[in-house]
Amino acid sequence: MIPKILIVEDDEEIAILEKDYLETCGYEVIVKNNGESVPEMLFTGGYDLLILDLMLPGRSGYDICREIRDKIDIPILMVTAKTESIDKIRGLGLGADDYISKPFDPAELVARVKSHLKQYERLTAHAASDGNAEDTENVIQIGNLRILAKSWKVYRGNEEIKFPHREFELLKFLAMNPNMVFSKEYLFETIWKYDYVGDSATVTVHINRIREKIEEDSKNPLIIETVWGAGYRLNL
């Protein structure tokens, strides 16, 4: 099945360039030049990946990402002319998987798209093949938090907490390697598996998103602890 990609970009030249390169690689590509009705398109259009500009007429990329992230689990690649760290962190904090700044090499964009699609395909296949068995060896209990490693589900008490695949894989990795410290760089290489130099700030933002879902007080986390100068540790 041919992957279907939605590009939301108001700069026509950039949108055409992105579309041409991706179509050359065999992807089906749809382009929209404003943010209006994008969530509705994503909810019904069967897209496999979203390339989303931040500054859009109608509805910003930030607003779109905020609305769809916990409802649709597909890779979101944000594209923007802004280079300030705060914009990057804000986009990642709203659930984007990756971030690329204009101007960019189209070949790098294609490489990132391929990487995300491959990774999400692997994660989705893994989740589906693991089934829904909740036997003892596949359940990690941390206080009232229950992580079902095989069915890719997380419960706090009896309430299920929704996790995009990338966040779940990061949480699962830490939970299956408790009381060990992992650097941001190691986690990035292990979970994201990119063949280009990544930004470990991505890990920090995803850790913060996980903490918001599992910690009683995300500002003073007890489950996922920051070990200053070294990395992160899940306490079990």
Side-chain angles (χ1 to χ4, degrees), residues 97 116 119-120 164-170 191-192 206:
D97 293 278
H116 281 291
Q119 178 80 340
Y120 263 67
H165 276 107
R166 193 82 65 181
E167 288 178 24
F168 181 86
E169 191 175 33
L170 179 56
I191 304 301
W192 275 259
H206 278 73

Side-chain angles (χ1 to χ4, degrees), residues 130-147:
D130 276 340
N132 295 311
E134 190 178 339
D135 53 79
T136 303
E137 65 178 357
N138 297 323
V139 178
I140 303 169
Q141 190 82 35
I142 308 169
N144 70 339
L145 190 73
R146 197 163 82 258
I147 302 169

Side-chain angles (χ1 to χ4, degrees), residues 170-181:
L170 179 56
L171 174 61
K172 177 183 174 182
F173 176 82
L174 291 171
M176 294 184 74
N177 298 278
N179 308 316
M180 297 176 61
V181 178

Side-chain angles (χ1 to χ4, degrees), residues 27-216:
Y27 300 117
E28 178 183 353
V29 182
I30 307 298
V31 174
K32 195 158 190 323
N33 60 11
N34 64 73
E36 291 296 338
S37 75
V38 169
E40 291 78 6
M41 291 177 66
L42 291 166
F43 294 148
T44 60
Y47 292 97
D48 298 292
L49 183 140
L50 171 63
I51 298 176
L52 181 65
D53 190 19
L54 289 182
M55 308 308 293
L56 294 165
R59 187 183 300 184
S60 75
Y62 293 122
D63 291 337
I64 293 169
C65 197
R66 183 184 294 108
E67 182 172 347
I68 69 170
R69 178 68 284 178
D70 291 329
K71 299 184 179 79
I72 301 175
D73 189 15
I74 63 172
I76 300 174
L77 176 57
M78 281 194 162
V79 182
T80 181
K82 292 190 173 183
T83 57
E84 294 85 351
S85 295
I86 189 64
D87 297 303
K88 177 176 183 178
I89 291 171
R90 182 183 177 194
L92 292 170
L94 290 172
D97 293 278
D98 201 359
Y99 185 105
I100 189 168
S101 298
K102 304 173 187 176
F104 54 83
D105 181 351
E108 182 183 358
L109 175 69
V110 171
R112 295 199 188 196
V113 166
K114 287 182 177 179
S115 176
H116 281 291
L117 288 172
K118 182 178 180 180
Q119 178 80 340
Y120 263 67
E121 181 181 2
R122 183 183 70 80
L123 295 178
T124 304
H126 189 178
S129 65
D130 276 340
N132 295 311
E134 190 178 339
D135 53 79
T136 303
E137 65 178 357
N138 297 323
V139 178
I140 303 169
Q141 190 82 35
I142 308 169
N144 70 339
L145 190 73
R146 197 163 82 258
I147 302 169
L148 279 60
K150 284 202 168 185
S151 61
W152 290 61
K153 292 184 178 181
V154 180
Y155 290 89
R156 185 168 51 214
N158 295 319
E159 179 186 359
E160 182 177 357
I161 309 170
K162 295 296 184 181
F163 279 84
H165 276 107
R166 193 82 65 181
E167 288 178 24
F168 181 86
E169 191 175 33
L170 179 56
L171 174 61
K172 177 183 174 182
F173 176 82
L174 291 171
M176 294 184 74
N177 298 278
N179 308 316
M180 297 176 61
V181 178
F182 296 96
S183 69
K184 289 185 289 185
E185 292 75 17
Y186 182 87
L187 291 171
F188 188 89
E189 293 172 4
T190 301
I191 304 301
W192 275 259
K193 295 182 173 67
Y194 290 163
D195 55 3
Y196 58 86
V197 177
D199 187 342
S200 57
T202 301
V203 174
T204 301
V205 175
H206 278 73
I207 289 288
N208 288 340
R209 283 177 56 82
I210 293 171
R211 283 171 169 166
E212 288 173 359
K213 296 177 181 180
I214 69 171
E215 299 279 0
E216 292 294 333

